[in-house]
Amino acid sequence: MKLRFLIIYLIIFAVLGTAVCIYVARGSKQDAPSYPTEINRLVIRLGKEWDSVCDMKEQQIPSDEPFDYAVIDPEGNLLFYTEKDIATSVSAATARYDVIRDIEKDGVLVGRLLVHNPFLELQARRDRRQALIIAGLFILMLLISLAYFLYLRSRVVRPFDRLKGFASRVAAGDLDTPLEMDRGHVFGAFTESFDIMREELKSSREREAAAVQSRKELVAELSHDIKTPVASIKAMADVMSLTAKDDLERDTIAAINGKADQIDHLISNLFHATLEELEQLEVKPEELSSTEILQMIKEADYSKKVSGSEIKDAVVLADRLRLNQVISNIIANSYKYAGTEIRVQSAYDGTSPQYLVIEISDTGGGVPEEEIELVTQKFRRGSNAGGKDGSGLGLYISNYFMEKMNGSLECFNRDNGFVVRLKLPVA
């Protein structure tokens, strides 16, 4: 509630309270009306007419005066009265503060006039009016207080609850739902500012996401661009190895070629990881024959350590490029960490749908059993990889590709060696 409304409320309350107090104070001083002249005339008239009056017995007659009265004889017997429920005896009249006058005839007391005093009735009526006025004042204050409460609820409590809910949504990350504009409540001046804050947070988050996306794309582009000169270095090293004059020169060229292979492998891993985060690693399965898979194995086996290659005749559904990367990664890991002969064998999985299972194994000691489930996670390597270059992405990317091709990749130890089992769906 604004300050001016509170001031108006206090002024109204003060004025009404003062008026009631003045009315009560003035009303308490008011007395019942008195009619001395009329009473004197009535006493004289009754004295003159007493002979006709004294024969009456408890009769009710209409009042010919502006007041009610009763007449009794000297013994206290009621002769007549003008209204019920008025005093008809001296004692009762005295208790009610009534006017008591003697009626005389020829100087002799013949009766008494009891003039009813309406003070008690007037006081009761006045008390009822005062009670009604005070009750009305309290009801008015109650209504004003209720209106004030409803005002606070609609203009303070509910807007605050909306602001609280809005803050909770923003904290939870919902920056798309705008805050309802309403300048009619106490927080109206802040509503627009809060919504501007939401828009700024949304814009800031979008700019941050765009910046992260841009950095990822830059890394992907640089990784791709670096592969071109590395390929040129390898090609020139191959040419130079053909024209080498002695063993020292050939060894130097072989070292250059090996380091170029290492750089190419690291750049490939970085490129693949970046593309995956960008969700740009496209996998498009197609029909491939087992002879193509065998050719991929031969191309990846540049050190000629694969023996006993056996691929069952089948047509599988796989992405040619991605499957080639998977096989190359597995054989390259065996070269790096085992350095032993590699055995490749295949079989059919009889379940429906049918799969072609390819196992690539070595005899290099394997991976500790507690680490088997970790080697396919990003940036995780076995504890036996110490001292060897690597980024921990090869098996992670391979597993990702196999899942995208609706197949699977499983790693385990067998016969003192490490085995990678690939399952490809048969077309």
Side-chain angles (χ1 to χ4, degrees), residues 239-372:
V239 173
M240 292 174 64
S241 65
L242 298 177
T243 59
K245 297 178 181 179
D246 51 40
D247 292 339
L248 178 60
E249 188 173 348
R250 279 190 290 271
D251 291 341
T252 302
I253 295 172
I256 293 173
N257 201 3
K259 291 299 181 182
D261 286 336
Q262 182 180 351
I263 294 173
D264 182 66
H265 183 66
L266 293 175
I267 292 299
S268 296
N269 289 339
L270 178 62
F271 180 58
H272 294 159
T274 305
L275 287 180
E276 181 192 353
E277 292 181 354
L278 292 173
E279 297 182 355
Q280 293 179 0
L281 282 175
E282 293 184 354
V283 178
K284 297 180 179 180
E286 57 182 333
E287 293 185 357
L288 296 178
S289 66
S290 56
T291 55
E292 291 185 77
I293 298 175
L294 185 59
Q295 183 62 31
M296 293 177 188
I297 296 172
K298 291 180 180 179
E299 292 176 356
D301 182 30
Y302 54 84
S303 293
K304 307 303 179 185
K305 292 186 177 183
V306 175
S307 63
S309 298
E310 179 188 354
I311 304 298
K312 298 290 185 180
D313 291 334
V315 177
V316 298
L317 294 175
D319 185 301
R320 180 179 286 100
L321 174 61
R322 301 311 180 192
L323 182 58
N324 195 359
Q325 288 179 266
V326 170
I327 293 173
S328 297
N329 277 331
I330 295 171
I331 293 178
N333 280 346
S334 183
Y335 282 175
K336 182 188 300 183
Y337 300 114
T340 66
E341 288 190 357
I342 302 170
R343 180 174 177 82
V344 178
Q345 54 188 350
S346 65
Y348 289 115
D349 185 345
T351 60
S352 180
Q354 196 173 35
Y355 289 91
L356 174 65
V357 180
I358 301 174
E359 290 186 356
I360 303 175
S361 59
D362 58 48
T363 56
V367 177
E369 289 294 334
E370 64 272 13
E371 299 175 1
I372 286 291

Side-chain angles (χ1 to χ4, degrees), residues 50-93:
W50 186 254
D51 292 337
S52 60
V53 171
C54 63
D55 295 332
M56 302 175 70
K57 299 294 183 179
E58 299 183 3
Q59 295 183 10
Q60 181 178 358
I61 65 174
S63 177
D64 52 358
E65 300 293 341
F67 50 83
D68 292 310
Y69 59 93
V71 177
I72 60 175
D73 60 17
E75 289 76 21
N77 297 316
L78 177 62
L79 300 178
F80 67 89
Y81 58 95
T82 61
E83 184 65 35
K84 293 180 178 180
D85 299 328
I86 64 174
T88 57
S89 66
V90 175
S91 60

Side-chain angles (χ1 to χ4, degrees), residues 87-206:
T88 57
S89 66
V90 175
S91 60
T94 303
R96 295 190 178 188
Y97 306 102
D98 291 346
V99 177
I100 303 175
R101 296 289 298 273
D102 293 337
I103 302 174
E104 295 180 355
K105 180 179 180 182
D106 299 330
V108 179
L109 177 66
V110 294
R112 288 185 175 87
L113 173 65
L114 309 179
V115 179
H116 177 65
N117 185 357
F119 173 76
L120 295 178
E121 289 85 347
L122 294 175
Q123 185 179 25
R125 191 180 303 124
R126 183 169 57 248
D127 290 343
R128 286 194 295 271
R129 283 201 304 268
Q130 292 174 355
L132 290 175
I133 292 173
I134 293 174
L137 178 62
F138 277 107
I139 291 174
L140 177 61
M141 294 300 102
L142 179 62
L143 292 176
I144 294 175
S145 300
L146 180 60
Y148 178 49
F149 171 77
L150 295 176
Y151 175 87
L152 290 178
R153 182 175 178 82
S154 63
R155 295 302 184 182
V156 178
V157 178
R158 287 181 179 174
F160 182 78
D161 289 340
R162 285 198 293 269
L163 287 177
K164 182 179 178 181
F166 172 76
S168 299
R169 292 197 303 272
V170 170
D174 181 9
L175 300 178
D176 297 322
T177 305
L179 179 62
E180 181 182 354
M181 297 292 181
D182 185 3
R183 295 182 176 273
H185 55 73
V186 176
F187 302 101
F190 303 99
T191 303
E192 185 175 0
S193 299
F194 272 93
D195 200 58
I196 291 174
M197 178 191 70
R198 175 193 64 81
E199 292 179 353
E200 288 297 325
L201 286 174
K202 181 180 179 181
S203 300
S204 176
R205 180 170 294 183
E206 290 175 350

